Amino acid sequence: MSDTSEGAAPLPQPGREPSLDEQIAAYQREFHDLDPQVEKVVSALGRLNRRMNVAYGRQVAELGISNTEWEVLKTLVVSGAPYRLGPGELAKRLGLTPAAMTHRIDRMANEGLVTRDRDENNRVRVIVELTDEGRAKWLEAMRRASAFEEDLLQDLSGEERGVLGEVLIRLLRRVEDAQPDAGGRLEDLDADET
């Protein structure tokens, strides 16, 4: 049942996510110092991020890979040719523990997406390298993501896209400056690569 008393915002219906306006109204009922403009921006960004992650997850699942495997493929591609990194560096860049990274690499090697070999110059060090199959999966995922992203931004002009991109980068920089470890668990993963 909705609250219809004078001045009160209606309560969201059970079983559905409240609209942003309903959510902000609920927050304001409980926290009177809330700036609704700020909350609308951060709540919209949070919802957009969640929904985009679901869409990307569905796309990579259709390719037979998981979001976590996609992240490894992406990290290897971003590292540049020959698309090779040690497991410790991969773990650091992805904000994972070395044990979690080892499990992920094992699975991906079994699927033919990466290889894992000893470094010729340091037999103790392991190198993870992207395979042709892994690169092909990455490229197809990028094609699908690109089409999704173009559709997402279709109502924005080139100028609006540019302005939005710059504004989002400013917000990202502020978070990165205030929370330098927000991208992953960086400080406690500085152990030597094995």
Side-chain angles (χ1 to χ4, degrees):
M1 176 179 265
S2 294
D3 179 3
T4 56
S5 60
E6 189 174 321
L11 297 175
Q13 298 297 315
R16 76 164 178 84
E17 184 175 32
S19 70
L20 284 179
D21 289 337
E22 290 169 334
Q23 178 179 320
I24 292 165
Y27 286 174
Q28 286 180 304
R29 277 194 311 268
E30 304 297 325
F31 181 67
H32 301 290
D33 294 335
L34 181 81
D35 181 332
Q37 283 185 311
V38 170
E39 192 58 39
K40 185 171 256 183
V41 169
V42 296
S43 293
L45 285 172
R47 285 189 187 196
L48 179 60
N49 182 56
R50 281 195 317 273
R51 284 164 174 76
M52 288 177 68
N53 284 336
V54 168
Y56 291 137
R58 288 177 178 151
Q59 289 178 343
V60 297
E62 290 172 0
L63 298 174
I65 60 176
S66 67
N67 274 338
T68 57
E69 291 169 332
W70 157 252
E71 290 297 327
V72 173
L73 298 177
K74 178 176 70 171
T75 302
L76 288 169
V77 168
V78 168
S79 74
Y83 314 117
R84 304 172 69 187
L85 289 172
E89 182 62 23
L90 272 170
K92 181 189 273 188
R93 291 182 186 197
L94 292 170
L96 298 171
T97 64
M101 191 73 249
T102 298
H103 176 72
R104 192 170 294 180
I105 292 167
D106 288 346
R107 191 173 62 241
M108 292 180 72
N110 288 336
E111 295 170 359
L113 301 171
V114 299
T115 59
R116 178 184 40 219
D117 294 308
R118 295 278 172 202
D119 186 337
E120 294 174 6
N121 299 321
N122 178 352
R123 300 298 295 160
V124 175
R125 187 170 185 253
V126 172
I127 298 293
V128 178
E129 185 171 345
L130 187 65
T131 64
D132 289 342
E133 182 178 347
R135 183 164 166 71
K137 295 265 186 179
W138 178 81
L139 283 169
E140 182 56 27
M142 287 299 292
R143 281 185 199 97
R144 292 175 184 216
S146 182
F148 167 73
E149 292 157 0
E150 277 296 323
D151 186 58
L152 176 69
L153 298 175
Q154 69 180 325
D155 296 330
L156 300 181
S157 69
E159 182 180 341
E160 289 171 321
R161 291 177 186 196
V163 169
L164 178 60
E166 289 303 315
V167 168
L168 292 173
I169 287 170
R170 284 187 1 225
L171 295 175
L172 178 60
R173 285 187 185 132
R174 182 166 297 277
V175 170
E176 289 173 342
D177 289 346
Q179 306 288 326
D181 64 341
R185 298 175 54 235
L186 303 178
E187 291 177 8
D188 57 341
L189 295 176
D190 285 333
D192 290 337
E193 293 180 11
T194 56

